[in-house]
DNA sequence: ATTAAATGTTGCAAGAATACAACATTATGT
DNA sequence: ACATAATGTTGTATTCTTGCAACATTTAAT
């Protein structure tokens, strides 16, 4: 299978919470260098690790990992504010 | 890292759409035996493969994969119906 | 009942993810 | 400027994922 690179927001989320890689790694239960590999997108996390990270940040997996490059977090923030109150369910 | 087993709904979703493993595998671009491994939960898919499957079924990844065992699909269906119209955003 | 399709099982090979160590570079605080 | 923390780099070993082949069992259709 031609493995695609999955993009992620680990680095920004980590900095947003003022954590070092060592701290984040400790909290999640992986080697701190593994966090580095993921932030640099040297390789994709396993599905289990992706879930662990999403659980740690208390964010849906799709908000942290994506098959396409992410826009800056701030853009998403703005979009969320703009859409506030819109309930277009169907 | 002590890898957890991730549960999935691939088998039910596949049957729901009347696909054989060969067909599903072909559509996604993996070996048909790989679908079998995943359905039996012999191992977890890579994050990329999980995304491919979620894209194929046009369902959010968390609806197909979970760190905890799934209730039957029908239960979720009922819950969705019950919650219809509830917009508790904040 | 027979056949064909679908699924399960085992085993081996290749590739990807993770751990870990040692060392280099960059940032931060004083 | 110095010390320390944080991050990056390279390399090796182990485990997990995927592909693939061969064969067994189950299911479905006729």
């Amino acid at each position: 299978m031609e493995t695609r690179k999955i993009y992620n927001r680990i680095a920004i989320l980590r900095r947003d919470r003022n954590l070092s890689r060592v701290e984040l790694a400790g909290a999640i239960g992986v080697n701190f260098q593994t966090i580095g590999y993921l932030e640099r997108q040297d390789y994709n996390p396993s599905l289990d690790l992706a879930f662990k990270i999403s659980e740690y940040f208390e964010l849906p997996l799709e908000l942290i990992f994506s098959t396409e490059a992410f826009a800056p977090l701030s853009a998403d923030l703005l979009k969320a504010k703009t859409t506030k109150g819109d309930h277009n369910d169907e």
Side-chain angles (χ1 to χ4, degrees), chain A:
Chain A
M1 194 187 52
E2 345 72 59
T3 314
R4 293 175 298 181
K5 191 213 304 231
I6 306 290
Y7 299 88
N8 74 70
R9 279 168 159 166
I10 299 172
I12 329 101
L13 290 172
R14 179 173 63 77
R15 289 196 183 114
D16 194 42
R17 311 213 181 179
N18 286 305
L19 298 164
S20 72
R21 287 185 185 161
V22 173
E23 292 170 316
L24 177 57
I28 289 178
V30 293
N31 191 279
F32 83 98
Q33 321 213 36
T34 298
I35 302 294
Y37 286 125
L38 298 181
E39 291 190 352
R40 271 174 253 122
Q41 263 132 204
D42 277 354
Y43 51 65
N44 298 336
S46 66
L47 183 56
D48 183 30
L49 181 48
F51 266 113
K52 279 179 184 148
I53 292 169
S54 121
E55 284 158 13
Y56 177 80
F57 285 119
E58 298 182 292
L59 289 173
L61 199 144
E62 277 102 340
L63 221 85
I64 307 181
F65 300 96
S66 169
T67 191
E68 290 169 36
F70 280 106
L73 254 189
S74 45
D76 273 24
L77 242 185
L78 180 62
K79 186 160 21 151
K81 202 176 193 77
T82 306
T83 320
K84 236 336 163 23
D86 291 10
H87 299 293
N88 49 330
D89 293 4
E90 42 250 320

